[in-house]
Amino acid sequence: MVQLSVNNETFEVECAPETPLLWALREHLGLTGTRFGCGAGMCGACTVHIDGEAAYACQLSVEAAAGHRITTIEGLSENADHPLQRAWVAEQVPQCGYCQSGQIMRAASLLARNPAPNREDIRDEMSANLCRCGTYPRILRAIERAVKEA
């Protein structure tokens, strides 16, 4: 059993210690907003926060995550009203939507560290996450909107 603190709740997860956090979240806790993309830490679809910092859930074992504060897209805000979530809707960012929870979590980590990033800061941070649909201009606009409206 591994004890995890996820979205301000404590859970006992019965799995091997080396199980990727991604699978514990999805399969054991039913938090399916965190997506499997590549499994190699290269696409960002599985981005969550570990103690407030963006991290690839596919690359972190449950054993390594134990004792840390984990936040998934489901825990970013109670009513899906985080400024980024509102901006994502206003800018009509998602096309297929598959990568969007990871994109939002990466952007939220950036804004927590830097509440007024410039375009270069945003592009640098968001380069860690891929969007196969190419909605990068809308992602950029949504982050800039969230900065203005926050």
Side-chain angles (χ1 to χ4, degrees), residues 64-106:
H68 296 278
R69 187 174 35 97
I70 303 160
T71 306
T72 68
I73 190 71
E74 293 91 347
L76 188 60
S77 69
E78 287 186 29
N79 301 312
D81 62 354
H82 187 280
L84 283 165
Q85 291 169 309
R86 290 193 317 266
W88 241 248
V89 172
E91 293 295 334
Q92 301 178 3
V93 173
Q95 187 163 321
C96 83
Y98 195 83
C99 70
Q100 297 308 309
S101 61
Q103 299 278 0
I104 290 170
M105 294 304 286
R106 170 87 43 202

Side-chain angles (χ1 to χ4, degrees), residues 20-23 35-36 38-42 46 55-61:
L21 176 61
L22 170 65
W23 298 118
R35 306 289 174 81
F36 173 79
C38 67
M42 297 177 70
C46 68
Y56 298 128
C58 74
Q59 296 297 294
L60 189 65
S61 70

